[in-house]
Amino acid sequence: MHSAPFRLVVTGGGTGGHTYPALTAVRALEARLAAEGRALETLWIGTADGLEARVAPVEGIAFTTVATGKIRRSKNPLKLASPANVRDMARVPLGVLQARRAIDGFRPDVVLA
């Protein structure tokens, strides 16, 4: 009797400092499950311009993007309201909705972030 595959969502990346450790964790889990006769299904959720957007597909991992934003810090609090910050902050709710849809559609057993 084969059990259902273990479903994993991976999120995060941007740089090799986040992407490659996450990839190592995916491969380790994959090997451990294979030893038990189980499969791993993985969905990586990240940004279109992060390293993960190139690494995940090359590694055979399903990949989807979400909108993200960042806050540019400054010692001057008035600079927090810069046009770039305001624009990026407006992208965050969209990214939350996109991430929620991806997770609801994939129905993971666990999320690695």
Side-chain angles (χ1 to χ4, degrees):
M1 178 175 149
H2 293 295
S3 56
F6 189 86
R7 298 173 70 83
L8 170 69
V9 162
V10 177
T11 185
T15 67
H18 292 94
T19 302
Y20 289 108
L23 179 59
T24 299
V26 169
R27 293 302 179 223
L29 180 58
E30 190 173 51
R32 187 172 200 164
L33 289 169
E36 298 172 4
R38 292 189 68 190
L40 176 64
E41 289 183 13
T42 305
L43 172 64
W44 199 311
I45 301 172
T47 64
D49 57 352
L51 180 61
E52 69 276 14
R54 295 184 305 276
V55 170
V58 166
E59 292 291 328
I61 298 171
F63 182 78
T64 191
T65 62
V66 295
T68 61
K70 69 178 184 177
I71 296 177
R72 291 152 196 87
R73 292 178 253 169
S74 172
K75 290 182 181 182
N76 179 348
L78 295 177
K79 289 187 178 180
L80 288 175
S82 71
N85 273 351
V86 170
R87 192 171 41 253
D88 275 1
M89 284 186 250
R91 294 172 51 87
V92 172
L94 173 61
V96 169
L97 287 174
Q98 291 170 330
R100 185 63 198 212
R101 277 193 206 119
I103 289 170
D104 286 347
F106 189 71
R107 300 182 51 91
D109 294 300
V110 70
V111 175
L112 171 65

